[in-house]
């Protein structure tokens, strides 16, 4: 497995995709910090907003480094020279995780080094930030596990890329829709004519579009199983249990990786 990892990292020396994404994740946090500085916003949101983008480079890495090797026969050749299938799978899985971590660390480094002097410290304590970062790291591992599973199990590279891209977009869209539904206010203000006083009065009435308790519990339950949902809920103030999120993300990563290795070891490589 070490040999495979070494060969994968050796390719990065002249890899345009990797360096392009490094440049993007350097410029993007700078732009976000400057935007918040102009708008006189805090640094808090910048500690989460990167999870909105992280699934896109994950998809690109998986489709390029795994899908390309799969389609051109490189993975098959590694197995033919004696490499175990599980080591091939895990090597590529770890490789993509490291690449995503590098982008994530670069983003945080810029945010902290540039954001704190311009925007000030976060409004929460250091322990809370540590919990946020820990969950985001586990989220990245879960995303890589899901996309790696798709690339290794799906025989067609094009089909795998389409599935992964649509899935990454669908995750964002579904999370936004659910959060939008959960953000519907329970009461709305409206004007009503008071026949006694003869004046229009501003009153609060129950919002007919407010989701029921059953619907809210169902939507929150869905958020727990959607990677990247945690950072979105923090931004809008929807509380989720940190322990439950960690357990679910770890279980999701383990399930996808274990099932992916199981299916790949039994797959007929043509």
């Amino acid at each position: 497995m070490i040999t495979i990892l070494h060969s994968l990292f050796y390719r990065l020396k002249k890899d345009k995709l990797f360096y392009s994404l490094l440049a993007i994740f350097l410029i993007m946090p700078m732009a976000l910090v400057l935007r918040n500085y102009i708008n006189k916003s805090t640094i808090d949101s910048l500690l989460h907003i990167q999870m909105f983008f992280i699934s896109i480079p994950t998809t690109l890495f998986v489709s390029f480094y795994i899908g390309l090797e799969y389609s051109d026969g490189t993975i098959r050749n590694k197995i033919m020279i004696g490499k175990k299938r599980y080591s091939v799978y895990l090597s590529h899985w770890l490789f993509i995780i490291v690449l995503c971590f590098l982008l994530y660390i670069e983003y945080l480094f810029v945010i902290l080094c540039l954001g704190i002097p311009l925007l000030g410290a976060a409004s929460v304590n250091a322990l809370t930030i540590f919990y946020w970062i820990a969950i985001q790291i586990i989220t990245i591992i879960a995303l890589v596990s899901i996309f790696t599973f798709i690339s290794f199990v799906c025989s067609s590279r094009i089909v795998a890329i389409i599935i992964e891209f649509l899935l990454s977009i669908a995750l964002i869209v579904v999370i936004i829709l659910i959060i939008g539904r959960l953000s519907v206010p329970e009461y709305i203000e409206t004007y009503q004519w008071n026949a006694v006083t003869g004046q229009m009065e501003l009153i609060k009435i129950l919002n007919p579009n407010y989701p029921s308790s059953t619907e809210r519990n169902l939507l929150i339950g869905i958020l727990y199983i959607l990677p990247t949902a945690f950072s979105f809920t923090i931004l809008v103030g929807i509380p989720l249990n940190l322990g439950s999120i960690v357990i679910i993300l770890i279980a999701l990563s383990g399930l996808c990786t274990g099932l992916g290795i199981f299916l790949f070891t039994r797959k007929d490589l043509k």
Side-chain angles (χ1 to χ4, degrees), residues 13 20 22 59 62 68 87 89 92 97 101 112 117 119 144 147 151 153 162-163 168 207 221 246:
K13 291 183 178 181
S20 297
L22 280 179
T59 303
V62 171
L68 184 60
S87 66
Y89 189 105
H92 287 79
I97 287 177
F101 278 178
L112 296 177
L119 306 175
V144 174
F147 294 139
S151 285
V153 172
I162 293 174
I163 293 175
S168 63
N207 189 347
V246 170

Side-chain angles (χ1 to χ4, degrees), residues 186-225:
E186 184 175 3
Y187 293 93
I188 57 176
E189 294 182 342
T190 183
Y191 283 96
Q192 180 175 291
W193 178 259
N194 190 320
V196 177
T197 62
Q199 295 179 343
M200 296 292 292
E201 295 181 349
L202 182 64
I203 62 172
K204 285 186 175 182
I205 61 172
L206 185 65
N207 189 347
N209 294 321
Y210 185 74
S212 64
S213 59
T214 302
E215 183 182 358
R216 289 184 65 85
N217 290 334
L218 175 62
L219 294 176
I220 291 175
I222 294 174
L223 287 178
Y224 273 103
I225 63 175

Side-chain angles (χ1 to χ4, degrees), residues 29 49 69 73 103 105 110 119-120 139 141 152 177 183 188 192 197 211 217 240 244 270:
I49 199 171
E69 284 205 348
L103 296 182
I105 292 171
V110 175
L119 306 175
T139 298
I141 295 175
F152 269 100
L177 290 176
S183 300
I188 57 176
Q192 180 175 291
T197 62
N217 290 334
L240 295 180
S244 299
K270 299 181 181 179

Side-chain angles (χ1 to χ4, degrees), residues 43-45 47-48 50-51 104 122-139 230-231 234 242:
I43 196 176
D44 291 27
S45 63
L47 297 174
H48 295 283
Q50 78 277 11
M51 301 309 293
Y104 177 76
S123 61
V124 297
N125 57 43
L127 184 60
T128 300
I129 296 177
F130 172 79
Y131 288 147
W132 289 350
I133 294 175
I135 291 178
Q136 289 170 357
I137 289 174
I138 299 173
T139 298
F230 172 74
S231 290
I234 289 291
L242 301 185

Side-chain angles (χ1 to χ4, degrees), residues 151-169:
S151 285
F152 269 100
V153 172
C154 187
S155 299
S156 172
R157 180 194 176 200
I158 301 300
V159 173
I161 293 174
I162 293 174
I163 293 175
E164 290 163 10
F165 180 76
L166 292 178
L167 181 58
S168 63
I169 299 300

